[in-house]
Amino acid sequence: MMISPSEIFKASILIVDDQESNISLLEQLLGEAGYTSVSSTMNPQEVCALHRKNHYDLILLDLQMPIMDGFQVIECLKTNEADDYLPVLVLTAQPGHKLRALQAGARDFISKPFDLIEVKTRIHNMLEVRLLYNKLENYSKELEQTVQERTAELRESEARYRSLTELASDWYWEQDENMSFTKVSGPVLEMLGIRVDTLTGGSDPIQVAGWNEVERAQLQERIAARQPFLDFVFSRVNANGSRQSFKVSGEPMFDRNCRFLGYRGIGVELHTEARTEAHTEATEK
């Protein structure tokens, strides 16, 4: 990310000095250098309000002024919560004031009497840093906004996906990498009598007999191989002799680093057959 010379010369600059001669000298110097947005004030009490209104890229601030000195102006500028970067370059003839100004929050200083080359160099360098800071800050805000919008889109997409799967199935399920059941929607417990993770070999306190072990082994084999499965049919015989059939589809989930996260899928109950006559007779006897 670079700052072009044209951006630097279009930067807004405010000169604050109680000496008109100093203001005229700096205005002439900046104008000849190519800066096009330069303003000034001899009243330090106006600086905070002017900065809140105009958001200057650079404030050239004299430290020794009547009524309100440069240090007080800096403290006032710090109250501007909209700008956490203080774009102040102090002007001083007192060597002892330089360190104090920097500790107060100023970014740099220019010594009086002015060295024209030093003035132009420090102003150019500070504006470049200031504009780069602004550009990075704006980029961060745009990135944050983009992330928020994308997150909202993903949540909406997930909600639509779940809504569609619920309409097309009796239940929706998810399992983690350890094949532990993490999410479910729909009456899966009522239909199956067990949790989805139990079908794939996980442990669960709810156990129901009668599952077709061949079908169950086939499902376990596909899951162990991290393979998707579509319309896989499995069944069980209930204690009363009736036979229930179910159909389930699932797909493995991976993160961007191809790490296995688990499975998700949908299931439906196909039908329930009435108990057989042989079972009826055995029961009656």
Side-chain angles (χ1 to χ4, degrees):
M1 188 175 295
M2 301 293 291
I3 303 298
S4 66
S6 62
E7 289 178 289
I8 293 177
F9 291 127
K10 290 178 182 178
S12 58
I13 302 173
L14 175 66
I15 303 171
V16 185
D17 201 307
D18 64 320
Q19 298 294 321
E20 187 174 356
S21 59
N22 288 335
I23 289 179
S24 298
L25 176 60
L26 289 171
E27 286 179 336
Q28 180 181 353
L29 174 65
L30 293 172
E32 292 175 351
Y35 294 96
T36 59
S37 181
V38 181
S39 57
S40 62
T41 179
M42 295 177 63
N43 183 359
Q45 294 175 305
E46 297 178 342
V47 176
C48 289
L50 287 172
H51 184 49
R52 286 192 178 93
K53 178 181 178 181
N54 300 302
H55 306 287
Y56 296 108
D57 296 309
L58 177 61
I59 300 175
L60 300 175
L61 178 64
D62 184 29
L63 289 179
Q64 292 182 297
M65 294 180 290
I67 303 176
M68 187 176 188
D69 64 23
F71 295 105
Q72 292 173 304
V73 173
I74 290 174
E75 292 303 316
C76 180
L77 289 170
K78 288 180 181 179
T79 64
N80 184 9
E81 296 180 355
D83 189 0
D84 56 3
Y85 183 97
L86 204 60
V88 173
L89 195 159
V90 298
L91 312 173
T92 179
Q94 302 295 326
H97 286 171
K98 296 176 183 178
L99 179 59
R100 181 185 170 192
L102 294 175
Q103 291 174 334
R107 298 295 171 178
D108 204 349
F109 58 84
I110 294 176
S111 301
K112 292 182 179 181
F114 299 135
D115 180 303
L116 299 186
I117 295 178
E118 178 191 20
V119 171
K120 288 193 287 187
T121 301
R122 290 185 182 275
I123 288 175
H124 182 280
N125 291 346
M126 185 166 171
L127 281 172
E128 187 174 26
V129 173
R130 167 63 165 171
L131 295 178
L132 181 61
Y133 177 89
N134 287 344
K135 187 170 290 190
L136 288 172
E137 187 176 37
N138 291 334
Y139 175 77
S140 297
K141 291 179 179 178
E142 291 174 2
L143 181 61
E144 182 179 2
Q145 179 65 28
T146 300
V147 170
Q148 291 176 350
E149 292 174 356
R150 181 57 179 156
T151 300
E153 290 174 1
L154 290 173
R155 288 175 178 172
E156 183 180 355
S157 177
E158 182 181 5
R160 288 198 301 267
Y161 172 80
R162 289 187 176 180
S163 177
L164 289 173
T165 56
E166 288 173 3
L167 290 174
S169 62
D170 291 328
W171 70 84
Y172 169 85
W173 54 270
E174 288 186 14
Q175 294 169 280
D176 62 19
E177 66 273 17
N178 299 315
M179 306 316 298
S180 296
F181 180 64
T182 57
K183 293 181 182 178
V184 66
S185 62
V188 60
L189 298 182
E190 292 82 351
M191 287 185 176
L192 301 182
I194 58 174
R195 298 183 187 275
V196 176
D197 55 355
T198 305
L199 293 176
T200 61
S203 61
D204 194 280
I206 306 176
Q207 297 291 337
V208 176
W211 293 105
N212 186 310
E213 293 300 327
V214 174
E215 295 170 345
R216 180 166 167 169
Q218 291 174 347
L219 180 59
Q220 289 177 332
E221 183 178 352
R222 294 191 184 186
I223 290 177
R226 306 291 187 251
Q227 295 178 345
F229 46 90
L230 178 65
D231 296 340
F232 184 89
V233 177
F234 59 97
S235 60
R236 76 175 178 205
V237 177
N238 297 315
N240 63 2
S242 62
R243 181 184 181 87
Q244 285 182 288
S245 296
F246 304 92
K247 182 170 63 177
V248 65
S249 299
E251 63 176 2
M253 298 183 293
F254 301 91
D255 63 15
R256 64 178 61 188
N257 296 318
C258 297
R259 185 177 69 87
F260 176 66
L261 299 178
Y263 267 84
R264 66 182 175 186
I266 59 174
V268 295
E269 182 177 13
L270 297 178
H271 58 271
T272 300
E273 298 177 358
R275 60 181 182 173
T276 63
E277 294 184 1
H279 185 276
T280 303
E281 293 177 358
T283 302
E284 290 175 350
K285 289 180 179 181

